[in-house]
Amino acid sequence: MGQPTNLYFTLLFLPLSLCWGQSSHPSCDRCDLRLSCNCSYGGFTRVPTVTDRALTLDLSFNNITVVNVDDLRGHMQLRALSLHGNRLAVIHPSALDSLWSLEELDLSDNQLTAVNHKWFSKLGALQELNLLNNPYRCLGSSPVFQRLVRLRRLGFGGPALEEVKRRDLSGVTQLEELTVHANNLMRYESGALADVWPLGRVTLSLHGPFLTNVALASALLDDVSYPETPIVLENLLLIANQSVQPFRATSRRRVRHITFRNLSMSDEAVVDFLVVMDGVPLTFLSVDGVILTGSGRWEKASWSDHKSIDEFFVRNVVALNVFSFVSFLQLQFLLHYPRKVSVINSQVFVMPCATSKLLVNLQYLDLSDNLLTDMTLVETLCDGNSTLKDLRVLNISGNALKSLSTVSWLVVKLSKLTHLDISRNAYSSMPQGCSWPSTLRYLNISRAKLTTITPSLPATLEVLDLSNNDLKGFMLALPALRELHLSGNKFLRLPPGWLFPSLQTLTIQSNTLNMFGRSDLQSYRRLQSLQVGQNKFVCSCDFVAFFQSSIKGGGDVHLTDGEESYVCDSPLYRQGEPVGRVSLSIVECHRVLFVSVSCGVALFVLILVCVLLWRLHAFWYLKMMWAWLKAKHSSRRRRRHRDRAESEALLSFDAFVSYSERDASWVENFLVPELEEPRS
């Protein structure tokens, strides 16, 4: 008895163990038609199972702590893998061996305390690797990137990184982008990054070395500084002459592009930086996120030479002593030369006309996301007297402007102006007439509050953006227009194409369109690119047939916003279904024809049945059955009558007489009475 019992428990345990194994290894079915699987924010604690045909797999922002040897086995076609933002602490040395086709790998923001070179030994196709913000102190004893011969974008380091050795980047010969977070770096072997050439964009976070170890910061900057390599420096605190000394390395190497992010700077540091960069052919200087602790007294560096400056880009500026900040009139030695100036989101409410006059070479001006009003814009543009005579691009979006007519007369004398961006302002109406520069080709008035279009728009426009307004119609002819953007309005149908004979691109997403057809598009003679998705489409037979044959099936007009943007809103049973995959039956599409044919067929069948019944004497049999039932009912009625009258009981017979229709008269007049006559 023992053996059968053991066998029974074995068979019982086997399916239980299989179920347990399946439930302990989760699955993710969030893959689209392009085989891109987005499993982020899924709460996974292990690598989930996805299709082996997946090309990209996003596992970011989960709670994965370990990658086992079998978790990614079989994904030979995978191109991109992201494990960003997990709690990953352990990766099996062979866990990534099967990812032969992997080109992008993101392991940033995890808990990896060491980097194992075996992880990447089989990843010969890898082009992008992100190891940022993990708690490792160094890159390991063996060269980590030795086998990554195609690596082009690399990021490493974090708050725990203390040492970078010369052999750490052995095998890396050229990079398009290098990012190093080394705010707490203590040891750096000179030349560790010097062998990487050519070197594209370099981003360095060196808060600690700039404050406490100037020699280390100088050595690192010297290794990555080349004339054509843009340098991005993050998280710096420049407060005195000593903290600026590492820039002597960039000065010697004639660096032309420098960007600061998250910077705090004193007046003394600004002056010292300008002095250090004296005579350097610096063409681009960007500051994104800066706190100015001084009062703007930088005239001590006025003797320095910065004639090569071509572009200033400044964003998110905070001046701690804003009320004591001096005028920029003393910065003539800097403002005379740049052709492009951007001051974005810096609480600028006015740029004095005197300052505007210093920008004699200015061709591009961006004052977006500030506090300009109609009144202060008049001062900035010097009452429209063509001070900025070479200006070609003007961006004043995201301010507090209310009058389109004011803007038009301020820019009408800018004889070279081609691009004007006045979006995200508070325009509630459009005047009936405005004067614009004859050179204006691009106009952006999106995200305003416009409800109607008037003839005030210039006829010279080639690109017009009116998206995210409250427009319901567009009846203005613009013969030169090539691009028209009308998304986010309230259009019920496409605007007439004959108004825009040169139009090539039309964007009209997120409106109130129900459908569009072949006749709508035929009026656009040169239309090539169309975006009409994210509308509430009525999936009628005509629209679905047109969409699937003329648009989806290929034609002169291409849907550049993707087929998945076109979804049925009605009828209700089709709601949420992509238009391109709708299959309508003949009953839905040809209801009148279907009913007519059905009724005709039913009538024909009925006539055919009647003829068949007549030929088979079916009607005669029916009449016979009716006569029999009537006779039987009459006999029962007479019997009940005799019972109530208590008369003498008579013999009662039930008889069924079958006869031909030719004998009906004789049967009814003679035979039946004789049979029913009582006999004594």
Side-chain angles (χ1 to χ4, degrees):
M1 294 294 292
Q3 291 180 354
T5 304
N6 291 338
L7 180 60
Y8 171 77
F9 279 111
T10 301
L11 294 175
L12 179 63
F13 178 76
L14 182 59
L16 291 175
S17 63
L18 290 175
C19 292
W20 174 261
Q22 292 175 358
S23 63
S24 62
H25 203 79
S27 62
C28 176
D29 57 358
R30 292 186 284 176
C31 300
D32 59 21
L33 297 176
R34 294 187 293 269
L35 298 176
S36 177
C37 301
N38 184 1
C39 302
S40 60
Y41 294 98
F44 298 108
T45 57
R46 293 188 57 186
V47 176
T49 302
V50 297
T51 174
D52 291 344
R53 299 182 295 113
L55 298 180
T56 64
L57 177 57
D58 186 354
L59 295 172
S60 59
F61 301 105
N62 283 288
N63 297 312
I64 300 172
T65 58
V66 59
V67 179
N68 294 314
V69 64
D70 297 328
D71 286 345
L72 296 168
R73 183 167 293 172
H75 289 284
M76 278 80 72
Q77 302 180 36
L78 197 65
R79 298 288 191 273
L81 172 62
S82 176
L83 285 160
H84 169 80
N86 282 272
R87 295 187 295 170
L88 191 60
V90 178
I91 301 178
H92 190 278
S94 302
L96 307 178
D97 285 357
S98 63
L99 307 182
W100 305 328
S101 303
L102 195 67
E103 298 176 355
E104 300 177 15
L105 177 60
D106 190 348
L107 299 173
S108 60
D109 290 293
N110 280 287
Q111 300 298 321
L112 298 172
T113 57
V115 182
N116 192 338
H117 68 281
K118 294 182 180 179
W119 297 343
F120 316 116
S121 60
K122 302 292 180 64
L123 304 183
L126 196 66
Q127 299 180 19
E128 181 174 344
L129 176 60
N130 190 347
L131 297 170
L132 292 170
N133 298 328
N134 281 279
Y136 51 81
R137 296 186 176 183
C138 62
L139 290 176
S141 56
S142 300
V144 178
F145 315 114
Q146 187 75 46
R147 303 289 184 88
L148 304 181
V149 294
R150 297 185 182 180
L151 193 64
R152 294 298 177 265
R153 291 175 293 279
L154 173 63
F156 70 89
L161 186 67
E162 296 179 353
E163 182 179 22
V164 176
K165 299 178 182 178
R166 188 176 180 87
R167 53 185 171 79
D168 284 344
L169 270 73
S170 177
V172 180
T173 56
Q174 58 179 311
L175 290 174
E176 297 173 3
E177 186 172 348
L178 173 64
T179 303
V180 181
H181 287 185
N183 286 324
N184 299 311
L185 192 66
M186 297 180 180
R187 295 177 296 279
Y188 176 79
E189 290 187 7
S190 182
L193 301 177
D195 293 334
V196 182
W197 175 256
L199 183 59
R201 186 183 184 88
V202 177
T203 302
L204 303 174
S205 188
L206 299 172
H207 179 80
F210 262 83
L211 290 177
T212 61
N213 197 335
V214 174
L216 186 153
S218 299
L220 202 157
L221 272 177
D222 189 64
D223 285 348
V224 299
S225 295
Y226 300 97
E228 300 300 329
T229 298
I231 303 293
V232 181
L233 295 165
E234 298 178 338
N235 305 318
L236 296 185
L237 177 60
L238 306 179
I239 55 176
N241 177 270
Q242 188 69 13
S243 60
V244 180
Q245 294 310 306
F247 290 107
R248 295 192 179 277
T250 61
S251 175
R252 288 193 302 271
R253 304 295 292 270
R254 317 292 282 179
V255 172
R256 297 179 181 177
H257 299 78
I258 296 180
T259 297
F260 295 100
R261 292 179 186 160
N262 192 19
L263 172 68
S264 181
M265 213 169 188
S266 65
D267 283 349
E268 182 182 358
V270 172
V271 171
D272 290 338
F273 175 79
L274 293 175
V275 170
V276 167
M277 302 302 292
D278 174 39
V280 177
L282 186 67
T283 60
F284 177 80
L285 180 60
S286 170
V287 183
D288 190 353
V290 58
I291 298 177
L292 298 175
T293 61
S295 56
R297 299 189 177 278
W298 308 332
E299 62 275 9
K300 294 180 181 179
S302 59
W303 58 269
S304 57
D305 179 10
H306 299 284
K307 295 179 181 178
S308 60
I309 286 287
D310 184 68
E311 179 177 358
F312 279 126
F313 180 91
V314 180
R315 181 166 57 190
N316 300 326
V317 177
V318 176
L320 296 184
N321 301 318
V322 62
F323 294 108
S324 60
F325 212 81
V326 299
S327 170
F328 283 153
L329 293 177
Q330 301 174 359
L331 302 182
Q332 181 176 353
F333 69 101
L334 290 177
L335 300 180
H336 264 325
Y337 309 110
R339 293 184 301 120
K340 299 178 67 176
V341 173
S342 301
V343 183
I344 303 171
N345 193 28
S346 300
Q347 298 183 345
V348 175
F349 60 90
V350 65
M351 183 171 72
C353 178
T355 303
S356 299
K357 290 180 179 180
L358 295 178
L359 300 168
V360 293
N361 291 315
L362 195 65
Q363 298 180 9
Y364 179 102
L365 177 60
D366 187 348
L367 295 174
S368 59
D369 297 309
N370 283 292
L371 304 175
L372 295 174
T373 64
D374 295 328
M375 183 181 299
T376 58
L377 184 64
V378 172
E379 172 65 19
T380 300
L381 296 180
C382 301
D383 290 315
N385 61 7
S386 68
T387 297
L388 303 173
K389 55 185 176 59
D390 290 329
L391 193 65
R392 289 168 169 79
V393 179
L394 175 61
N395 186 351
I396 48 177
S397 62
N399 282 278
L401 306 177
K402 296 182 179 181
S403 174
L404 269 175
S405 57
T406 299
V407 174
S408 68
W409 72 261
L410 286 175
V411 301
V412 68
K413 293 183 180 180
L414 300 178
S415 58
K416 296 182 180 180
L417 189 68
T418 60
H419 290 63
L420 178 60
D421 189 343
I422 51 177
S423 61
R424 296 184 291 119
N425 282 288
Y427 308 117
S428 58
S429 62
M430 184 177 291
Q432 290 298 316
C434 285
S435 297
W436 301 93
S438 59
T439 55
L440 193 61
R441 299 291 182 267
Y442 174 96
L443 179 61
N444 186 350
I445 323 180
S446 63
R447 297 186 181 276
K449 300 178 182 179
L450 299 176
T451 57
T452 57
I453 297 297
T454 68
S456 61
L457 293 178
T460 58
L461 289 179
E462 296 181 2
V463 179
L464 175 60
D465 190 346
L466 291 170
S467 55
N468 296 292
N469 281 285
D470 293 322
L471 302 174
K472 296 181 180 179
F474 197 119
M475 293 301 295
L476 178 64
L478 296 173
L481 199 66
R482 293 183 294 105
E483 292 185 23
L484 178 59
H485 303 277
L486 298 172
S487 297
N489 283 283
K490 298 178 180 179
F491 284 87
L492 294 174
R493 57 177 302 167
L494 298 180
W498 59 267
L499 295 172
F500 321 108
S502 303
L503 194 67
Q504 300 176 8
T505 299
L506 175 61
T507 303
I508 190 167
Q509 297 173 309
S510 301
N511 277 267
T512 54
L513 273 79
N514 297 129
M515 62 182 69
F516 58 97
R518 183 174 286 102
S519 59
D520 295 319
L521 297 184
Q522 285 177 344
S523 60
Y524 294 91
R525 294 184 297 177
R526 298 185 179 181
L527 190 64
Q528 299 176 359
S529 174
L530 178 65
Q531 296 183 10
V532 202
Q534 301 174 17
N535 280 286
K536 296 183 177 181
F537 293 109
V538 176
C539 285
S540 63
C541 296
D542 293 338
F543 175 66
V544 171
F546 163 73
F547 184 87
Q548 294 181 353
S549 61
S550 301
I551 301 296
K552 180 186 172 185
D556 296 334
V557 179
H558 300 283
L559 298 179
T560 55
D561 53 346
E563 182 186 338
E564 63 276 4
S565 299
Y566 297 79
V567 179
C568 297
D569 185 68
S570 65
L572 190 60
Y573 60 89
R574 296 287 184 187
Q575 197 171 63
E577 189 173 348
V579 180
R581 294 201 291 268
V582 169
S583 179
L584 297 176
S585 64
I586 190 172
V587 178
E588 296 174 285
C589 293
H590 305 283
R591 186 165 299 173
V592 175
L593 179 62
F594 177 78
V595 171
S596 301
V597 172
S598 299
C599 292
V601 171
L603 182 60
F604 174 77
V605 171
L606 180 61
I607 294 173
L608 184 63
V609 169
C610 291
V611 172
L612 185 62
L613 292 175
W614 179 76
R615 294 288 296 175
L616 297 176
H617 302 288
F619 297 109
W620 181 83
Y621 285 108
L622 290 174
K623 290 172 64 178
M624 183 177 63
M625 290 293 296
W626 172 249
W628 177 79
L629 291 173
K630 189 165 65 173
K632 187 174 181 67
H633 178 69
S634 178
S635 176
R636 288 178 179 174
R637 188 171 67 248
R638 288 196 298 272
R639 187 184 301 115
R640 288 195 299 270
H641 179 71
R642 286 194 294 268
D643 291 342
R644 286 197 298 269
E646 297 181 354
S647 58
E648 183 181 354
L650 298 176
L651 293 175
S652 179
F653 299 94
D654 288 327
F656 180 76
V657 180
S658 178
Y659 58 94
S660 172
E661 193 172 349
R662 292 190 296 271
D663 302 327
S665 178
W666 180 81
V667 170
E668 294 175 356
N669 297 325
F670 178 77
L671 181 60
V672 172
E674 286 294 325
L675 293 176
E676 292 181 347
E677 182 69 25
R679 303 297 182 191
S680 57

